[in-house]
Amino acid sequence: MIQSPFGLGLDIQTKYMWRGMEMMTDESAPVLFPSINYSYKSIYLYAMGGYAINGKYAEVDFGISYSWNGFTVGIYDYYYPTIDSKEDQYIGGGKHTGHWFEGCINYAPEKFPIIVAISNFFAGNDKYIDGKGSQKQAYSTYVELGTYYDFLGQSRIALNVGASLNKSCYNNYDHNFSVCNLELKYTYIVPFKAGWTLPLNVAYIYNPVFDKSFVNFTANFSF
């Protein structure tokens, strides 16, 4: 049987957490993430939405990446139409744009349980107001180190530590350096017939910048 290069996915989170940040701060509600992806050799493209079940949040993301010998280099567009859809500018980077453009490099070797990632928002709405009252591009930079341990054939426990290297969206543009994400996650992969699996995970997340803790559940459906 010829395998299709296209894939579909649906992730469910009890609370939308990303890199230690609450993506919905005013109201808490489960979020659905439908996605479609296409892979060809080492190239991977995807489109993903994020929608709160209470209708108070929406997100549309696009990305392309290339992988080689454990390294992955990608460019991503995170779009938040809930910011101000009437005044949005796609690439202009104006005050009301809902787009955040990011470059990212990951390293995850197959034979060693370590994951290293660094990312930077190089354009879009990643802005702050400087001491003179001018709006500046922040170039928020995030670094994450992680490790994991697989056991019992279908279980994994992982520890990730993430930090912002500058005044950034991860620390309300208040700190030059800050650890903003400590995450301990347990994943159990539920096996089904025909080789299909359902990863389920629970994560304890602590953000030292805001001194806040969370416990989050995620289910990852892929087809």
Side-chain angles (χ1 to χ4, degrees):
M1 180 181 293
I2 299 176
Q3 186 175 2
S4 172
F6 290 94
L8 301 175
L10 176 64
D11 293 355
I12 303 172
Q13 283 192 22
T14 52
K15 184 176 182 62
Y16 189 4
M17 298 296 303
W18 186 68
R19 296 178 181 173
M21 294 191 296
E22 292 179 271
M23 301 304 289
M24 294 176 59
T25 55
D26 295 332
E27 295 187 39
S28 180
V31 181
L32 306 178
F33 298 91
S35 64
I36 182 171
N37 58 75
Y38 174 84
S39 58
Y40 176 74
K41 295 184 179 180
S42 299
I43 299 174
Y44 181 82
L45 298 91
Y46 77 90
M48 183 183 75
Y51 305 99
I53 62 173
N54 64 1
K56 300 294 185 179
Y57 183 90
E59 178 180 339
V60 179
D61 303 335
F62 299 95
I64 181 171
S65 62
Y66 178 82
S67 298
W68 176 77
N69 279 0
F71 286 94
T72 299
V73 179
I75 297 178
Y76 310 105
D77 171 20
Y78 304 90
Y79 173 48
Y80 305 97
T82 48
I83 299 294
D84 195 329
S85 58
K86 293 182 179 179
E87 300 185 49
D88 180 59
Q89 301 177 36
Y90 189 75
I91 296 181
K95 180 178 180 180
H96 299 286
T97 182
H99 291 271
W100 297 59
F101 297 96
E102 178 188 64
C104 187
I105 300 175
N106 294 356
Y107 179 60
E110 286 188 18
K111 298 182 179 180
F112 194 73
I114 189 172
I115 299 172
V116 182
I118 182 168
S119 63
N120 175 269
F121 285 114
F122 60 86
N125 200 37
D126 181 31
K127 302 286 201 304
Y128 73 100
I129 304 299
D130 66 11
K132 299 180 181 180
S134 300
Q135 190 177 66
K136 301 291 186 179
Q137 191 75 36
Y139 299 104
S140 295
T141 302
Y142 177 82
V143 173
E144 186 170 282
L145 302 177
T147 187
Y148 58 88
Y149 174 69
D150 294 329
F151 59 101
L152 299 178
Q154 297 160 331
S155 295
R156 169 177 289 189
I157 189 166
L159 176 64
N160 299 299
V161 179
S164 174
L165 300 185
N166 60 343
K167 292 182 178 180
S168 70
C169 59
Y170 306 104
N171 54 40
N172 278 344
Y173 307 100
D174 287 333
H175 307 280
N176 287 319
F177 173 85
S178 56
V179 176
C180 56
N181 184 25
L182 300 174
E183 180 182 82
L184 181 65
K185 181 167 64 176
Y186 170 71
T187 300
Y188 178 73
I189 300 176
V190 182
F192 292 90
K193 293 182 179 180
W196 186 67
T197 59
L198 173 60
L200 306 173
N201 68 71
V202 175
Y204 171 77
I205 303 164
Y206 176 62
N207 187 321
V209 173
F210 303 111
D211 192 23
K212 299 183 73 173
S213 298
F214 311 90
V215 175
N216 205 30
F217 173 81
T218 305
N220 305 108
F221 299 86
S222 59
F223 311 93

